[in-house]
Amino acid sequence: MRVMRVMKRCVLPAAVGMVLVFSGTARAQQAATKLAIMDVQRAISQSNDGQQAAKEITERFGPTRAQLEKQQKEIADLQQQLNAQDKTLSDDARTKLMRSIDDKTRVFQRSNEDATSGFQTAQQDAINEIGRKMLGVIDEYAKKNGFAVILDVSSPQTPVLYADEALEITDDIIGLYNQATAKPAAAAPASPAPAAPASKPPAAGAGAGSAPAGGSPPAAPAP
């Protein structure tokens, strides 16, 4: 039983709709309508933020998945034991084993439902956050390049039956989104300046380079 899938299909909030950008009715009427298409689901999942979110969600729910798989294996082992020993088990032993299987199955199902709900919530929150930021990139891209309409063709239910591949702008949006959301690289810490050698007054009557009387040799200068 598959418990969770990480960002295989990304769904933007319903408010986004099929038409992502419409840059103005008057403008569309005054000039030839310029259209483009994009796969919003792919743009989200393949963006740097999307890949990072998928990784973080996978790591976050990794222990839960492992626990569910352990529970599932325990149930399978008990079921196998029941099948193998069915003819030799006493009625009481068979009843006890079947009750144990039922109890563990109920616990597994509740845990699986809770984990799946939590996973889907975390996934949808990440998708919504990335989607909101991506819409700003799409809007700016459309205005800059004179597009009147940009259609999302990621859903199988899209009304777009055919579109020339030359209209595809998904990769452009991914690149612009990654640029717009790139985190500045942390500045490397400045190396400390070398310490100047401590000056030591020569001891009375001592020649140059000799240690002070009754003292220790001077410390070597710090590198």
Side-chain angles (χ1 to χ4, degrees), residues 5-209:
R5 294 182 301 171
V6 178
M7 305 196 82
K8 282 291 186 81
R9 291 186 59 82
C10 303
V11 182
L12 277 174
V16 173
M18 295 300 299
V19 180
L20 298 177
V21 174
F22 191 86
S23 56
T25 302
R27 177 173 151 192
Q29 292 174 346
Q30 291 172 358
T33 303
K34 189 176 180 181
L35 306 176
I37 60 171
M38 69 172 292
D39 186 332
V40 176
Q41 293 181 12
R42 180 168 74 85
I44 291 177
S45 64
Q46 293 184 5
S47 68
N48 291 342
D49 284 352
Q51 295 181 57
Q52 181 64 28
K55 178 181 177 182
E56 291 176 356
I57 292 172
T58 299
E59 292 174 351
R60 174 181 168 187
F61 286 90
T64 302
R65 178 191 290 274
Q67 182 63 31
L68 289 170
E69 290 174 348
K70 180 181 178 181
Q71 292 177 1
Q72 199 172 26
K73 185 178 185 304
E74 290 176 353
I75 295 170
D77 289 345
L78 291 175
Q79 187 64 55
Q80 185 178 7
Q81 178 184 346
L82 177 63
N83 295 337
Q85 301 177 3
D86 183 58
K87 295 181 179 180
T88 60
L89 288 173
S90 65
D91 290 343
D92 288 344
R94 182 183 297 104
T95 300
K96 183 178 180 180
L97 185 56
M98 292 176 65
R99 184 179 297 115
S100 178
I101 293 173
D102 290 342
D103 291 344
K104 288 181 179 294
T105 299
R106 282 194 293 270
V107 171
F108 169 79
Q109 289 174 342
R110 286 196 298 269
S111 299
N112 187 34
E113 289 173 0
D114 292 342
T116 301
S117 177
F119 174 84
Q120 291 175 343
T121 298
Q123 184 186 47
Q124 193 62 48
D125 288 346
I127 292 170
N128 291 346
E129 180 180 355
I130 297 170
R132 283 192 294 269
K133 291 187 289 186
M134 188 165 287
L135 283 177
V137 174
I138 294 170
D139 184 74
E140 183 177 351
Y141 178 88
K143 292 175 180 177
K144 182 177 180 180
N145 292 276
F147 286 105
V149 177
I150 298 178
L151 299 174
D152 175 19
V153 295
S154 57
S155 171
Q157 284 75 39
T158 176
V160 179
L161 302 179
Y162 170 80
D164 193 319
E165 291 183 359
L167 301 177
E168 175 79 37
I169 63 168
T170 305
D171 290 336
D172 292 344
I173 297 299
I174 293 174
L176 290 172
Y177 177 88
N178 288 341
Q179 291 178 16
T181 57
K183 298 177 176 62
S191 300
S199 58
K200 55 177 177 50

